[in-house]
Amino acid sequence: MGRLLFAAAGTLGGIWIGSRSVKIYDWRTEWAIPAPLPVVYRAMSSRAAVREWWPDMELVDDGKDDDLQVGSTVSFRVHQAPEVARLAPPFRIHCLYTDVESESRLRETVTGDLSGVLEVLFHEQVDNTSITFSWYVRVTNPALNLLGYIAERMYRHSHDHVMESGETGLSEYCLRLAGSEGAPSG
């Protein structure tokens, strides 16, 4: 009985410490999408397009407007890497667009299972569009926050998996879109 109480106290203490000891994740990801900036930006700022090209970031709300602009909100169920998904359910995040500069920048505040800021910058290159994602967030669940101190590599792997699937999905989406616009009509 004493061991059980000790284990329960340790678990509760760890959760309490996890809620007080906040681990911040400051992650940057860069994509190179083989399409012109207007095509890429439109795919990144349209609810319908995001639903189509990024299944790991499952859009779960039905906002009124398709275009994402200042004041728009979106909610996602973030499907993690398979190795992580066995241990934890998908994250749920809610994003509020706080700054939008067309074809240049998207900035969002993030709440839910993650809390913080996401900034997305767009730059047109000679043969592609580069996108830089800067995440500055923390995990809001105290137990998962505490786990982050020992499982940061697992969290990073899951983040990288979701971002890689997004880069692949957006590249393929934009190539399909460019192919259909360039196809001769009947």
Side-chain angles (χ1 to χ4, degrees), residues 81-183:
E83 307 80 45
V84 178
R86 286 181 278 170
L87 304 172
F91 278 119
R92 291 184 179 270
I93 60 172
H94 313 285
C95 303
L96 169 63
Y97 287 77
T98 58
D99 191 9
V100 174
E101 297 173 28
S102 184
E103 296 184 9
S104 178
R105 178 176 183 233
L106 298 170
R107 185 177 174 95
E108 308 159 41
T109 57
V110 179
T111 58
D113 291 329
L114 299 176
S115 179
V117 177
L118 167 62
E119 184 169 54
V120 184
L121 300 174
F122 300 84
H123 298 285
E124 190 158 35
Q125 307 294 328
V126 173
D127 57 351
N128 67 45
T129 298
S130 69
I131 305 172
T132 303
F133 294 83
S134 296
W135 289 91
Y136 187 73
V137 296
R138 69 179 181 87
V139 177
T140 57
N141 178 308
L144 293 177
N145 181 54
L146 182 62
L147 182 61
Y149 282 93
I150 58 174
E152 183 171 353
R153 295 175 98 195
M154 181 176 67
Y155 285 5
R156 181 68 203 210
H157 170 73
S158 188
H159 171 81
D160 290 347
H161 170 82
V162 170
M163 297 305 287
E164 287 168 10
S165 79
E167 182 177 19
T168 299
L170 182 57
S171 293
E172 291 172 356
Y173 176 86
C174 289
L175 288 172
R176 280 192 314 273
L177 192 60
S180 68
E181 288 177 356

Side-chain angles (χ1 to χ4, degrees), residues 35-54:
L37 177 58
V39 172
V40 172
Y41 182 81
R42 177 70 186 134
M44 287 280 302
S45 61
S46 159
R47 290 175 200 272
V50 170
R51 277 192 178 94
E52 195 171 324
W53 64 262
W54 205 350

